[in-house]
Amino acid sequence: EKGGYPHFMLKEIYEQPRTIVDCIRGRINPDTCEVKLSGVIDHRDRFVNARRIIFVACGTSWHASLIGEHLVESICRIPVEVEYASEFRYRNPIIREDDIVVAVSQSGETADTLAAVELARKAGAFVFGICNVVGSSIARATDSGAYIHVGPEIGVASTKAFTGQVTVMAMLALAVGRERGTVTEAYYNEVSAALLHLPETMEEVLKVAPQVADLAKIFTYAHNFIYLGRGYNYPTALEGALKLKEISYIHAEGYPAAEMKHGPIALIDAEMPTVAIATPDHTYEKTASNIEEIKARGGKIIAVIARGDEQVRRSADFVIEVPVIAECLMPIVVSVPLQLLAYYIAVYKGRNVDQPRNLAKSVTVE
Ligand code: F6R
C-alpha cells in the first residue's frame, strides 16, 4: 500500500505531480487557459461583491491560507484576513453578510475549523470550503467549495494536501479576479499556463531528492533551525519549519527574512542552521542581503535558489536548485525540497515519520 516507498510521507511527496493533475483536471482549459471552478461560477455574485474574505484553518492549512491571502489580495483586490480557527471562534469576531469565509481543511473534520464554519454561517456569511476528504463534515457544512482531489493523505505530516490547497487557491484567485476585472489578461494567462505545466515542474523539482538526502545527513546534529522567506515564500518558510518540527522533533522557526534583525538574529551561531528561500522574485535582492547578514554572524546557510543563480550561491554553504515558474506559484515548488529535507532528517534520526509522537491525523477535539 506504500507503493514500494518506505513511508507514506515519501510516497505522498512523490505523488505530487499526479495529485496536481487531479487537482486541476477539468478546471483549466488547456487550449484557452481559462479557469473554471463550479463552486465559484454558481455563486459568482457573492465573490464579485465580497467585501472581505476570511480564511480560517489550522496548522498546515493555515500556512496555505497565508499564501491564499497573498494570491487573493493581489489578483482579486479583495481584502483578506487569515485566522487560526481556534482563535477566531472564541473572539466574538466581526462577520458580515457580504464576507466570504473560506474554511481550509485536508480532513474536513478539524473541530475548531468546523466550529468556525458554523459560527460564520450563523452570522450570515457565505462559507466556501477547500477540503480534501469528500463528504467530510466541513465539506457538508459549507455553502460551496472546491475539493483539492489529492487522494487519501495517510502520513500525519501534510504534504500533497498543502500543494493541492495552494493550487486550488491560485485557481480560485484567477477565477474570481477575472470576474472582478482585477487581473490583466497577460497575468491570468501566465499563471494559468504555469498551473497547467505544474505537474512537469513538480517532476522536475523532485529530482533534488538525492541531494537533499545528503544534506540532511549533514544536519541531523542540529537542535534548532531557522527558515526564512519573504512575500509568497514567507508562509513556505513557516510550513518548512513545521514539517521539520513535527517529524524530526527538532525545534525550528520560520520568519519573514527581514524580521531577523528585530531579534531572532541574536540566535545565530555556527550551531543554528538557516534554510533561506531565495528564488527570483521582487524581493530577491533584499533576501540576498538578509542572507549576508546571517553569514556575517557565522550562521550556516542552506539556500533554495533558482537554477543558474550566482549571487546567493556565493554566500550560501549549501544550495538546493529548483525550477522557476510564476512567482505566485513558487511556494508549491519550493515546498517540495523542504518536505524532503524534513523527511530525510527525521529518517536519519530514526523517528517514526508517518506517525510522529503526540500527533493525530485529524484533530477532532479542540
Ligand atoms: C501538519 C498537519 C496539521 C494539519 C492541521 C489541520 O503537517 O498535518 O498541522 O494541517 O491539523 O488539519 P486539517 O487540514 O485536516 O484541518
Side-chain angles (χ1 to χ4, degrees), residues 58-61 104-110 113 138 153 156-158 165 239 242-243 246 361-363:
C58 305
T60 288
S61 300
V104 186
S105 175
Q106 186 285 129
S107 62
E109 301 298 342
T110 300
T113 311
I138 293 169
E153 190 178 65
V156 163
S158 187
Q165 288 164 344
E239 175 58 9
L242 176 61
K243 288 293 86 107
E246 66 182 331
K361 182 66 186 163
S362 82
V363 184

mmCIF file of all heavy atoms in Angstrom, residues 58-61 104-110 113 138 153 156-158 165 239 242-243 246 361-363, ligand 1:
data_model
loop_
_atom_site.group_PDB
_atom_site.id
_atom_site.type_symbol
_atom_site.label_atom_id
_atom_site.label_comp_id
_atom_site.label_asym_id
_atom_site.label_seq_id
_atom_site.Cartn_x
_atom_site.Cartn_y
_atom_site.Cartn_z
ATOM 1 N N CYS A 58 -6.251 25.569 10.448
ATOM 2 C CA CYS A 58 -5.261 25.236 11.480
ATOM 3 C C CYS A 58 -4.020 24.649 10.793
ATOM 4 O O CYS A 58 -4.120 24.062 9.717
ATOM 5 C CB CYS A 58 -5.793 24.168 12.434
ATOM 6 S SG CYS A 58 -7.361 24.591 13.212
ATOM 7 N N GLY A 59 -2.890 24.777 11.461
ATOM 8 C CA GLY A 59 -1.664 24.074 11.053
ATOM 9 C C GLY A 59 -1.244 24.371 9.626
ATOM 10 O O GLY A 59 -1.177 25.522 9.180
ATOM 11 N N THR A 60 -0.951 23.295 8.910
ATOM 12 C CA THR A 60 -0.503 23.428 7.525
ATOM 13 C C THR A 60 -1.539 24.141 6.669
ATOM 14 O O THR A 60 -1.198 24.946 5.790
ATOM 15 C CB THR A 60 -0.200 22.019 6.960
ATOM 16 O OG1 THR A 60 1.003 21.549 7.575
ATOM 17 C CG2 THR A 60 -0.031 22.019 5.459
ATOM 18 N N SER A 61 -2.805 23.873 6.924
ATOM 19 C CA SER A 61 -3.866 24.509 6.138
ATOM 20 C C SER A 61 -3.881 26.020 6.393
ATOM 21 O O SER A 61 -4.226 26.805 5.504
ATOM 22 C CB SER A 61 -5.225 23.892 6.491
ATOM 23 O OG SER A 61 -5.202 22.505 6.208
ATOM 24 N N VAL A 104 -10.383 26.047 5.244
ATOM 25 C CA VAL A 104 -9.403 25.184 4.575
ATOM 26 C C VAL A 104 -9.068 24.023 5.496
ATOM 27 O O VAL A 104 -8.612 24.237 6.632
ATOM 28 C CB VAL A 104 -8.130 25.990 4.214
ATOM 29 C CG1 VAL A 104 -7.174 25.126 3.394
ATOM 30 C CG2 VAL A 104 -8.488 27.263 3.453
ATOM 31 N N SER A 105 -9.314 22.810 5.034
ATOM 32 C CA SER A 105 -9.054 21.642 5.886
ATOM 33 C C SER A 105 -8.879 20.390 5.043
ATOM 34 O O SER A 105 -9.766 20.029 4.267
ATOM 35 C CB SER A 105 -10.227 21.435 6.856
ATOM 36 O OG SER A 105 -10.050 20.255 7.605
ATOM 37 N N GLN A 106 -7.734 19.752 5.190
ATOM 38 C CA GLN A 106 -7.500 18.493 4.472
ATOM 39 C C GLN A 106 -8.542 17.468 4.876
ATOM 40 O O GLN A 106 -9.254 16.931 4.028
ATOM 41 C CB GLN A 106 -6.083 17.990 4.791
ATOM 42 C CG GLN A 106 -5.616 16.762 4.017
ATOM 43 C CD GLN A 106 -6.232 15.447 4.481
ATOM 44 O OE1 GLN A 106 -6.758 14.676 3.654
ATOM 45 N NE2 GLN A 106 -6.234 15.177 5.756
ATOM 46 N N SER A 107 -8.620 17.204 6.165
ATOM 47 C CA SER A 107 -9.506 16.139 6.659
ATOM 48 C C SER A 107 -10.976 16.528 6.554
ATOM 49 O O SER A 107 -11.842 15.664 6.421
ATOM 50 C CB SER A 107 -9.182 15.840 8.128
ATOM 51 O OG SER A 107 -9.430 17.001 8.912
ATOM 52 N N GLY A 108 -11.244 17.822 6.669
ATOM 53 C CA GLY A 108 -12.629 18.275 6.745
ATOM 54 C C GLY A 108 -13.272 17.951 8.079
ATOM 55 O O GLY A 108 -14.495 18.078 8.227
ATOM 56 N N GLU A 109 -12.462 17.546 9.046
ATOM 57 C CA GLU A 109 -13.010 17.152 10.352
ATOM 58 C C GLU A 109 -12.419 17.936 11.520
ATOM 59 O O GLU A 109 -12.755 17.659 12.668
ATOM 60 C CB GLU A 109 -12.775 15.650 10.606
ATOM 61 C CG GLU A 109 -13.388 14.720 9.565
ATOM 62 C CD GLU A 109 -14.920 14.798 9.475
ATOM 63 O OE1 GLU A 109 -15.569 15.296 10.427
ATOM 64 O OE2 GLU A 109 -15.461 14.380 8.421
ATOM 65 N N THR A 110 -11.528 18.852 11.264
ATOM 66 C CA THR A 110 -10.881 19.577 12.361
ATOM 67 C C THR A 110 -11.932 20.353 13.166
ATOM 68 O O THR A 110 -12.674 21.175 12.618
ATOM 69 C CB THR A 110 -9.796 20.509 11.789
ATOM 70 O OG1 THR A 110 -8.847 19.697 11.106
ATOM 71 C CG2 THR A 110 -9.101 21.298 12.886
ATOM 72 N N THR A 113 -12.028 24.231 13.112
ATOM 73 C CA THR A 113 -12.381 24.775 11.801
ATOM 74 C C THR A 113 -13.876 24.586 11.541
ATOM 75 O O THR A 113 -14.556 25.491 11.044
ATOM 76 C CB THR A 113 -11.516 24.122 10.693
ATOM 77 O OG1 THR A 113 -10.146 24.177 11.105
ATOM 78 C CG2 THR A 113 -11.673 24.833 9.357
ATOM 79 N N ILE A 138 -16.809 19.338 7.281
ATOM 80 C CA ILE A 138 -16.665 20.739 6.854
ATOM 81 C C ILE A 138 -17.191 20.903 5.432
ATOM 82 O O ILE A 138 -17.914 21.863 5.134
ATOM 83 C CB ILE A 138 -15.200 21.217 7.001
ATOM 84 C CG1 ILE A 138 -14.833 21.261 8.488
ATOM 85 C CG2 ILE A 138 -14.986 22.586 6.334
ATOM 86 C CD1 ILE A 138 -13.364 21.467 8.790
ATOM 87 N N GLU A 153 -4.572 11.175 2.229
ATOM 88 C CA GLU A 153 -3.262 11.515 2.796
ATOM 89 C C GLU A 153 -3.146 10.757 4.115
ATOM 90 O O GLU A 153 -3.894 11.010 5.054
ATOM 91 C CB GLU A 153 -3.154 13.037 3.002
ATOM 92 C CG GLU A 153 -1.740 13.485 3.351
ATOM 93 C CD GLU A 153 -1.647 15.004 3.511
ATOM 94 O OE1 GLU A 153 -2.274 15.542 4.451
ATOM 95 O OE2 GLU A 153 -0.962 15.649 2.718
ATOM 96 N N VAL A 156 0.982 11.572 8.734
ATOM 97 C CA VAL A 156 0.445 12.630 9.604
ATOM 98 C C VAL A 156 0.911 14.005 9.120
ATOM 99 O O VAL A 156 0.160 14.972 9.149
ATOM 100 C CB VAL A 156 0.822 12.362 11.082
ATOM 101 C CG1 VAL A 156 0.644 13.615 11.922
ATOM 102 C CG2 VAL A 156 -0.056 11.232 11.629
ATOM 103 N N ALA A 157 2.146 14.077 8.643
ATOM 104 C CA ALA A 157 2.640 15.360 8.131
ATOM 105 C C ALA A 157 2.016 15.628 6.770
ATOM 106 O O ALA A 157 2.126 14.830 5.846
ATOM 107 C CB ALA A 157 4.157 15.320 8.013
ATOM 108 N N SER A 158 1.364 16.738 6.661
ATOM 109 C CA SER A 158 0.658 17.075 5.425
ATOM 110 C C SER A 158 1.652 17.530 4.350
ATOM 111 O O SER A 158 2.515 18.374 4.602
ATOM 112 C CB SER A 158 -0.337 18.189 5.742
ATOM 113 O OG SER A 158 -1.143 18.437 4.627
ATOM 114 N N GLN A 165 -3.882 22.494 -1.823
ATOM 115 C CA GLN A 165 -4.616 23.658 -1.309
ATOM 116 C C GLN A 165 -4.158 24.933 -2.012
ATOM 117 O O GLN A 165 -4.981 25.762 -2.434
ATOM 118 C CB GLN A 165 -4.388 23.791 0.206
ATOM 119 C CG GLN A 165 -5.105 22.722 1.018
ATOM 120 C CD GLN A 165 -4.588 22.607 2.454
ATOM 121 O OE1 GLN A 165 -3.504 23.101 2.783
ATOM 122 N NE2 GLN A 165 -5.354 21.958 3.307
ATOM 123 N N GLU A 239 5.897 26.748 6.836
ATOM 124 C CA GLU A 239 5.500 25.364 6.581
ATOM 125 C C GLU A 239 6.718 24.425 6.621
ATOM 126 O O GLU A 239 6.636 23.321 7.175
ATOM 127 C CB GLU A 239 4.762 25.293 5.235
ATOM 128 C CG GLU A 239 4.380 23.918 4.749
ATOM 129 C CD GLU A 239 3.485 23.119 5.692
ATOM 130 O OE1 GLU A 239 2.990 23.666 6.692
ATOM 131 O OE2 GLU A 239 3.315 21.916 5.438
ATOM 132 N N LEU A 242 7.482 23.860 10.218
ATOM 133 C CA LEU A 242 6.504 22.965 10.860
ATOM 134 C C LEU A 242 6.785 21.512 10.495
ATOM 135 O O LEU A 242 6.746 20.625 11.360
ATOM 136 C CB LEU A 242 5.073 23.353 10.463
ATOM 137 C CG LEU A 242 3.959 22.433 10.993
ATOM 138 C CD1 LEU A 242 3.931 22.410 12.522
ATOM 139 C CD2 LEU A 242 2.593 22.856 10.464
ATOM 140 N N LYS A 243 7.105 21.258 9.216
ATOM 141 C CA LYS A 243 7.405 19.884 8.781
ATOM 142 C C LYS A 243 8.561 19.331 9.607
ATOM 143 O O LYS A 243 8.506 18.202 10.083
ATOM 144 C CB LYS A 243 7.779 19.816 7.298
ATOM 145 C CG LYS A 243 6.691 20.018 6.277
ATOM 146 C CD LYS A 243 5.651 18.935 6.237
ATOM 147 C CE LYS A 243 4.593 19.235 7.267
ATOM 148 N NZ LYS A 243 3.308 19.701 6.800
ATOM 149 N N GLU A 246 7.533 18.702 13.397
ATOM 150 C CA GLU A 246 6.589 17.636 13.734
ATOM 151 C C GLU A 246 7.132 16.245 13.496
ATOM 152 O O GLU A 246 6.764 15.328 14.211
ATOM 153 C CB GLU A 246 5.239 17.843 13.047
ATOM 154 C CG GLU A 246 5.256 17.745 11.559
ATOM 155 C CD GLU A 246 3.875 18.011 10.948
ATOM 156 O OE1 GLU A 246 2.865 17.743 11.588
ATOM 157 O OE2 GLU A 246 3.843 18.486 9.808
ATOM 158 N N LYS A 361 -3.789 12.341 12.918
ATOM 159 C CA LYS A 361 -4.005 12.869 11.561
ATOM 160 C C LYS A 361 -5.156 13.857 11.528
ATOM 161 O O LYS A 361 -5.089 14.872 10.862
ATOM 162 C CB LYS A 361 -4.254 11.722 10.576
ATOM 163 C CG LYS A 361 -4.436 12.180 9.133
ATOM 164 C CD LYS A 361 -3.156 12.792 8.566
ATOM 165 C CE LYS A 361 -3.333 13.396 7.184
ATOM 166 N NZ LYS A 361 -2.226 14.301 6.841
ATOM 167 N N SER A 362 -6.223 13.538 12.236
ATOM 168 C CA SER A 362 -7.241 14.584 12.234
ATOM 169 C C SER A 362 -7.624 14.935 13.663
ATOM 170 O O SER A 362 -7.783 14.063 14.523
ATOM 171 C CB SER A 362 -8.397 14.246 11.297
ATOM 172 O OG SER A 362 -9.316 13.407 11.878
ATOM 173 N N VAL A 363 -7.678 16.230 13.898
ATOM 174 C CA VAL A 363 -7.826 16.746 15.261
ATOM 175 C C VAL A 363 -9.297 17.070 15.482
ATOM 176 O O VAL A 363 -9.758 18.181 15.256
ATOM 177 C CB VAL A 363 -6.920 17.976 15.474
ATOM 178 C CG1 VAL A 363 -7.003 18.463 16.915
ATOM 179 C CG2 VAL A 363 -5.473 17.642 15.125
HETATM 180 C C1 F6R B 1 0.788 19.349 9.745
HETATM 181 C C2 F6R B 1 -0.586 18.941 9.824
HETATM 182 C C3 F6R B 1 -1.523 19.701 10.696
HETATM 183 C C4 F6R B 1 -2.842 19.924 9.965
HETATM 184 C C5 F6R B 1 -3.879 20.571 10.890
HETATM 185 C C6 F6R B 1 -5.153 20.895 10.155
HETATM 186 O O1 F6R B 1 1.521 18.579 8.861
HETATM 187 O O2 F6R B 1 -0.974 17.992 9.194
HETATM 188 O O3 F6R B 1 -0.972 20.910 11.098
HETATM 189 O O4 F6R B 1 -2.597 20.735 8.852
HETATM 190 O O5 F6R B 1 -4.161 19.714 11.959
HETATM 191 O O6 F6R B 1 -5.721 19.739 9.619
HETATM 192 P P1 F6R B 1 -6.824 19.802 8.514
HETATM 193 O O7 F6R B 1 -6.226 20.394 7.300
HETATM 194 O O8 F6R B 1 -7.254 18.376 8.307
HETATM 195 O O9 F6R B 1 -7.939 20.662 9.050
#
